Amino acid sequence: MILGIDIGGTTIKFGIVTEKGEILATERHDTLENTKNPEDFINLLVDISRKYIASYPQVKGIGIGVPGQLSLDRSTLVQANNLGSLNGTKIVPLLKEAFPDLIVRLENDANCTALGEMYFGGHDKDDFIMIALGTGVGGGVIVHRKLFIGAKGNAGEVGFLVVGPKRQVLENYLGQRHLTNYVKEELSKPENADNSLHSVEDLTVESVYYAAKDGNQLALNVWDYVGELIGETVVGLAHSFDVTKFIIGGGVGKAFELFKDSAEKAALSYFSSYYADTFQLLPAGCEEDTGLVGAASLVLNELEDF
Amino acid sequence: MILGIDIGGTTIKFGIVTEKGEILATERHDTLENTKNPEDFINLLVDISRKYIASYPQVKGIGIGVPGQLSLDRSTLVQANNLGSLNGTKIVPLLKEAFPDLIVRLENDANCTALGEMYFGGHDKDDFIMIALGTGVGGGVIVHRKLFIGAKGNAGEVGFLVVGPKRQVLENYLGQRHLTNYVKEELSKPENADNSLHSVEDLTVESVYYAAKDGNQLALNVWDYVGELIGETVVGLAHSFDVTKFIIGGGVGKAFELFKDSAEKAALSYFSSYYADTFQLLPAGCEEDTGLVGAASLVLNELEDF
């Protein structure tokens, strides 16, 4: 039994996660309210953790996911985009003080999601790269059942390979805002003046998903374009890490069936047989509470070492 | 003292290399002649090695570089483009049989060059990525003074990230043949009809280097283009590995001064301060016999572990 803590931009989620990935109890707290200063933030973590550990004394450890860059030794949140006041907070030592007998592990949230896929995604994989298509594009690289954190500790930023017709980083195409803007640009072309997507009041990636499912050609083309860009990215990553399994998650990743073919086609147009023979592109297996389950996976991964 | 063996497409080079990277004795053998079958090849390695070890009994180990893909355990040459008959040869166990008391290490040749840079390039680096611009584009990734070999053993193929205006892998722009063809295409444009490069009988990358040094604008533009493509590649690699030092080697790499500025400019146009603050692009420090010195470095890297 593990206590997972998923620190997101809007909520901090606590949850008791079993070794099978089931969530037994969970609660949410507001991020903004609880991250005004490091002291209050750590107090919240300690208080809620203490409460859960009292109810679940079998808890072996605490796994924490944060949306930001960590120190190489995984003790400290170095920099987070939306948790500015917490930059530099030594989260692990501070929690260890309160819980000296528990395993305490901190990791980047996208890396957590990757580990969560390893344990609970049903893929049974030792080596893969997770591409999380959400508000931004995050990722995690798993090599021999371990997260690859690189030279300075923040490797696997798979959304920042330069690809595509605009020679931009992947996130600048597929981050949700960018992707929506791309669709709006396409819609503004004279030949698309009659497209049914014009009638959608508040255009989102989800509307483009449903339009494509309904056979809207512009929407289908958008997903082909998404697939091509993922395909190009996957080629760079495969050659960098010698990994040929890719798991696509995140909100935009739910359109997997719509971009899978063009992504595979694009990747295979570059791959030699050494890569093509084992190449696999798969949708994420974990669907709900991936952040929480991922954070808990940190402790499982630590226990594996013993 | 180390015996280095550098197996290239045309020659097999043997050499005694000191711990300071000096080469005391060396000899070459024809590759084609000695790779017709694995038996003859291994016999050559054993015979020449025995001879050197008799003269230099201080030799601690044998380091071998090969232009191809290796097994994850580094015992076997799995696949080499130009050494077809050797595919599958268990080079390390076969040499270990002949030299049971010596360290025997096998590695991909570009990886060897990267290690050679670490020990003898004068950079004093623990983390960097080597980009070797030669006939093709090879590379090696050093993280915490170790080669990163990835999930299946052949990571760091830095020439195979998809970049640039043609959405092609780096090698398809910068491999020597491709680069020469690009220059020829540029020369065939009407506005370049008077360019002095037309008078070069057998156009090579070297002629473009000297033309640029003489102020030829087309040639200067070619190196800017080379730099841009390297810059884009470096961005993907930095985010993948969280490494921000890049060392450029190989024949084409000798034009470093001509493409450095455009490469840096391109990379910095993408980097956040996290990367930009420590970003360095450097020319290779090793100039001669990099393959041999690199192969010998394998044994030094092994000795470091003790």
Side-chain angles (χ1 to χ4, degrees):
Chain A
M1 213 158 272
I2 299 150
L3 175 60
I5 306 178
D6 174 24
I7 299 161
T10 51
T11 61
I12 301 175
K13 216 172 187 177
F14 296 77
I16 293 292
V17 182
T18 69
E19 274 77 356
K20 290 182 174 169
E22 293 153 336
I23 297 168
L24 299 188
T26 180
E27 70 183 71
R28 288 155 186 267
H29 292 262
D30 186 74
T31 301
L32 194 63
E33 211 172 279
N34 290 288
T35 55
K36 284 178 183 150
N37 62 69
E39 292 71 31
D40 289 355
F41 171 71
I42 294 292
N43 285 340
L44 176 82
L45 297 197
V46 170
D47 291 349
I48 308 292
S49 297
R50 215 182 283 286
K51 185 183 78 176
Y52 274 112
I53 292 162
S55 308
Y56 299 91
Q58 316 94 305
V59 162
K60 289 177 185 142
I62 305 174
I64 309 156
V66 281
Q69 287 156 334
L70 306 190
S71 61
L72 185 57
D73 69 2
R74 287 11 228 159
S75 69
T76 307
L77 174 63
V78 172
Q79 192 182 311
N81 286 336
N82 300 309
L83 311 169
S85 68
L86 301 185
N87 287 354
T89 307
K90 294 184 183 305
I91 299 178
V92 174
L94 290 168
L95 257 79
K96 263 300 222 187
E97 259 177 46
F99 308 103
D101 299 331
L102 294 187
I103 296 166
V104 179
R105 283 279 310 266
L106 180 72
E107 194 45 79
N108 167 273
D109 57 354
N111 281 350
C112 286
T113 313
L115 270 189
E117 277 297 315
M118 184 172 90
Y119 286 106
F120 306 115
H123 300 292
D124 193 23
K125 290 184 185 349
D126 291 350
D127 304 292
F128 68 90
I129 295 175
M130 173 96 199
I131 302 179
L133 303 172
T135 311
V137 178
V141 176
I142 305 274
V143 174
H144 302 163
R145 295 186 74 78
K146 289 285 161 207
L147 279 167
F148 175 74
I149 62 169
K152 295 194 290 166
N154 296 290
E157 286 287 358
V158 304
F160 292 84
L161 275 75
V162 180
V163 292
K166 295 189 233 166
R167 302 168 76 172
Q168 280 294 315
V169 298
L170 185 68
E171 181 167 287
N172 283 4
Y173 300 95
L174 301 194
Q176 284 197 36
R177 190 172 48 83
H178 295 284
L179 189 54
T180 313
N181 286 341
Y182 172 75
V183 178
K184 286 177 182 163
E185 269 172 44
E186 289 298 299
L187 277 171
S188 71
K189 289 182 180 168
E191 66 266 33
N192 295 323
D194 297 334
N195 195 287
S196 62
L197 275 169
H198 279 292
S199 65
V200 177
E201 206 168 306
D202 190 16
L203 192 78
T204 62
V205 173
E206 220 175 348
S207 18
V208 185
Y209 170 75
Y210 286 112
K213 296 276 280 181
D214 282 350
N216 185 312
Q217 193 56 50
L218 184 152
L220 287 165
N221 292 349
V222 167
W223 293 110
D224 280 350
Y225 167 82
V226 168
E228 264 180 36
L229 295 163
I230 292 172
E232 289 180 23
T233 304
V234 148
V235 169
L237 294 171
H239 287 90
S240 293
F241 294 106
D242 202 1
V243 165
T244 47
K245 286 179 189 163
F246 295 87
I247 298 179
I248 315 289
V252 180
K254 289 186 179 147
F256 184 78
E257 57 182 311
L258 294 173
F259 59 72
K260 175 183 192 275
D261 289 350
S262 70
E264 284 183 348
K265 193 180 156 199
L268 290 169
S269 76
Y270 297 98
F271 278 149
S272 67
S273 64
Y274 177 79
Y275 299 95
D277 289 351
T278 55
F279 173 50
Q280 278 186 291
L281 194 69
L282 301 163
C286 298
E287 293 196 347
E288 283 176 46
D289 286 319
T290 54
L292 205 53
V293 168
S297 303
L298 289 171
V299 177
L300 287 182
N301 202 231
E302 183 75 26
L303 290 168
E304 254 191 32
D305 278 344
F306 296 112
Chain B
M1 215 158 269
I2 298 150
L3 174 61
I5 307 178
D6 174 23
I7 299 160
T10 50
T11 60
I12 300 174
K13 217 170 186 177
F14 296 76
I16 293 290
V17 183
T18 70
E19 275 76 356
K20 291 182 175 170
E22 294 154 336
I23 297 168
L24 300 186
T26 180
E27 70 184 72
R28 289 156 187 267
H29 292 261
D30 186 73
T31 300
L32 193 64
E33 212 172 278
N34 290 289
T35 54
K36 285 180 184 149
N37 62 68
E39 293 69 33
D40 288 357
F41 171 72
I42 294 292
N43 285 339
L44 175 82
L45 297 198
V46 170
D47 291 350
I48 308 292
S49 298
R50 216 183 282 286
K51 185 182 80 178
Y52 275 112
I53 292 161
S55 308
Y56 299 91
Q58 317 94 302
V59 163
K60 290 178 187 144
I62 305 173
I64 309 155
V66 281
Q69 287 155 333
L70 305 191
S71 60
L72 185 58
D73 70 1
R74 289 9 229 161
S75 69
T76 307
L77 175 62
V78 172
Q79 191 182 310
N81 286 336
N82 301 308
L83 310 168
S85 68
L86 300 186
N87 287 355
T89 307
K90 294 184 183 303
I91 298 178
V92 174
L94 291 166
L95 257 81
K96 263 301 222 187
E97 258 177 47
F99 308 103
D101 300 331
L102 293 187
I103 296 166
V104 179
R105 282 279 308 265
L106 179 72
E107 195 43 81
N108 166 275
D109 56 354
N111 281 351
C112 287
T113 313
L115 270 189
E117 276 296 314
M118 182 172 91
Y119 286 106
F120 307 115
H123 300 292
D124 192 22
K125 290 185 186 343
D126 292 349
D127 303 292
F128 67 89
I129 294 175
M130 172 97 200
I131 302 179
L133 304 170
T135 312
V137 177
V141 176
I142 305 273
V143 174
H144 303 165
R145 296 186 74 78
K146 290 286 161 206
L147 278 168
F148 174 74
I149 63 169
K152 295 194 290 167
N154 296 291
E157 286 288 358
V158 304
F160 292 84
L161 274 74
V162 180
V163 291
K166 294 189 232 166
R167 302 168 75 171
Q168 280 295 315
V169 298
L170 185 68
E171 182 167 285
N172 283 5
Y173 300 95
L174 301 194
Q176 283 196 38
R177 190 172 47 82
H178 294 283
L179 189 55
T180 314
N181 286 341
Y182 172 76
V183 178
K184 286 178 183 163
E185 268 170 45
E186 289 296 301
L187 278 170
S188 71
K189 290 181 179 169
E191 66 266 32
N192 295 322
D194 296 335
N195 194 288
S196 63
L197 274 169
H198 280 291
S199 66
V200 177
E201 206 168 306
D202 189 16
L203 191 77
T204 62
V205 173
E206 220 175 348
S207 18
V208 186
Y209 170 76
Y210 286 112
K213 296 276 280 180
D214 282 349
N216 184 312
Q217 193 56 49
L218 185 150
L220 286 166
N221 293 348
V222 167
W223 292 111
D224 280 350
Y225 167 83
V226 168
E228 264 180 37
L229 294 163
I230 291 173
E232 290 180 23
T233 303
V234 148
V235 170
L237 294 170
H239 286 91
S240 294
F241 294 107
D242 203 2
V243 164
T244 48
K245 286 179 188 163
F246 294 87
I247 298 179
I248 315 289
V252 179
K254 289 186 177 147
F256 185 79
E257 58 183 307
L258 294 173
F259 59 73
K260 176 183 191 277
D261 289 349
S262 69
E264 285 183 347
K265 193 180 155 200
L268 290 169
S269 76
Y270 297 98
F271 279 148
S272 66
S273 64
Y274 177 80
Y275 299 94
D277 289 351
T278 55
F279 173 51
Q280 277 187 290
L281 195 69
L282 302 163
C286 297
E287 292 194 347
E288 282 177 47
D289 285 320
T290 55
L292 205 53
V293 168
S297 302
L298 289 172
V299 177
L300 286 183
N301 201 231
E302 183 77 25
L303 291 169
E304 253 192 33
D305 279 342
F306 297 113

